[in-house]
Amino acid sequence: MFDVFIDSFGARWQDPPPPRDRAAVLTINLTNALLNPPDDHALADTVAQQTGQDPEVRAYVLATPGAARIINDAVHQLTALRTAAQGRPVQLLVNCWYGRHRAPAIADAIGHRMRTAGARVQVTHHHINRPPVPRKHPRPGCPFCRIIHDGAPAEIVREWPDALAILPRPDGHGRHGCTDGHLLVLPRGHVADFTVDPVVSATVQLRAAELAGQLGGQWNYLTSCGPDASQTFRRGRRPVVDCRFKASKLRVHDSVRQGDPHAAIAGRAA
């Protein structure tokens, strides 16, 4: 009979573990904590696609600054909760974003410590076998990655830790974009399109809304996924600009990149 249940899961799947019967519950949210292996450019793809139960990934997560403190705090809190529960089971919920790397590694480490202390522990990883996490490191040939990571020239309007806003490249007449005030808001991590990682997509929209609110006026927000959705490519991997008028008489701009058409666009209404 177990008296400690530890459940790891990914918040991205919106399918958290059910509560254990009569259990007192603690939670650890690692969504914005510790280093995430798929985000580390130095790690090989094969390692990034492994899980928190594989030795290399487990060692990577546990060596991250802050991991030892999280584990120690959880062990102390679970021990105190077991005492206060007076025989009732206790449950620890540990989540990261995808539930494949950080949460399983931390949950297993806490479970090992609790077993060593004499607890009867069951550790369950609910989402460890879900699809692999997409990597977001820079891609060769991507003009936006060159701006963000290599210092390629661009007129930067605003920078955040997770995104930046730039003016579109000028055309032959020196005009930036298709209407006055046109801006591109770019994620710092490279993703294939806005469907790949909802957190990245939501972050870019948040930054675009924040900037538009600060600048004032009326704005149109656009993003595209696929050529039939006005994502256009010309000459292989070279990004192009597609400008058009909509029935609402808003000038619309669609700037895309091969392999990364996610860039969100905020354009001021004409």
Side-chain angles (χ1 to χ4, degrees):
M1 181 66 178
F2 300 108
D3 56 6
V4 175
F5 297 92
I6 301 178
D7 296 279
S8 81
F9 67 103
R12 181 254 184 273
W13 308 110
Q14 299 184 11
D15 181 26
R20 304 287 181 171
D21 184 40
R22 300 178 57 248
V25 180
L26 288 175
T27 63
I28 299 176
N29 184 353
L30 301 175
T31 301
N32 297 310
L34 307 181
L35 295 176
N36 192 22
D39 294 339
D40 189 335
H41 308 160
L43 284 182
D45 284 338
T46 53
V47 176
Q49 299 308 309
Q50 293 174 349
T51 74
Q53 291 191 307
D54 290 296
E56 289 179 274
V57 175
R58 180 172 61 248
Y60 180 95
V61 173
L62 298 184
T64 300
R69 177 186 55 79
I70 290 171
I71 294 166
N72 288 335
D73 289 349
V75 169
H76 291 317
Q77 292 169 6
L78 277 174
T79 300
L81 189 59
R82 284 183 69 209
T83 301
Q86 298 181 342
R88 291 169 53 206
V90 298
Q91 181 181 16
L92 174 65
L93 301 176
V94 186
N95 78 275
C96 55
W97 182 237
Y98 276 83
R100 285 179 54 90
H101 301 101
R102 292 167 292 172
I106 294 296
D108 280 340
I110 295 169
H112 175 73
R113 289 274 302 274
M114 294 300 297
R115 289 190 189 99
T116 302
R120 299 182 301 277
V121 182
Q122 175 179 290
V123 180
T124 305
H125 304 303
H126 293 266
H127 298 145
I128 197 168
N129 293 318
R130 292 293 176 94
V133 180
R135 305 198 74 182
K136 307 180 187 71
H137 54 273
R139 296 295 196 273
C142 172
F144 294 162
C145 285
R146 289 200 295 268
I147 292 170
I148 294 169
H149 299 285
D150 299 330
E155 192 163 343
I156 298 174
V157 177
R158 187 69 52 84
E159 291 192 71
W160 303 273
D162 44 24
L164 77 161
I166 65 172
L167 288 175
R169 292 180 302 179
D171 60 18
H173 303 286
R175 184 177 62 182
H176 294 272
C178 294
T179 188
D180 180 43
H182 211 151
L183 301 173
L184 306 180
V185 182
L186 316 174
R188 290 190 180 273
H190 182 114
V191 292
D193 57 59
F194 73 87
T195 69
V196 169
D197 193 325
V199 167
V200 174
S201 303
T203 298
V204 172
Q205 185 165 5
L206 181 150
R207 297 308 187 187
E210 176 184 317
L211 181 57
Q214 291 171 354
L215 296 176
Q218 300 180 55
W219 294 82
N220 191 26
Y221 175 92
L222 298 172
T223 188
S224 302
C225 173
D228 290 339
S230 75
Q231 177 185 329
T232 309
F233 302 102
R234 185 178 301 160
R235 288 189 175 181
R237 302 183 67 84
R238 186 171 183 269
V240 300
V241 173
D242 174 24
C243 304
R244 64 193 66 192
F245 287 95
K246 294 292 188 182
S248 61
K249 297 185 179 179
L250 293 180
R251 293 175 180 254
V252 176
H253 173 279
D254 176 33
S255 180
V256 296
R257 46 187 161 165
Q258 179 83 23
D260 191 5
H262 178 182
I265 300 109
R268 193 188 297 271

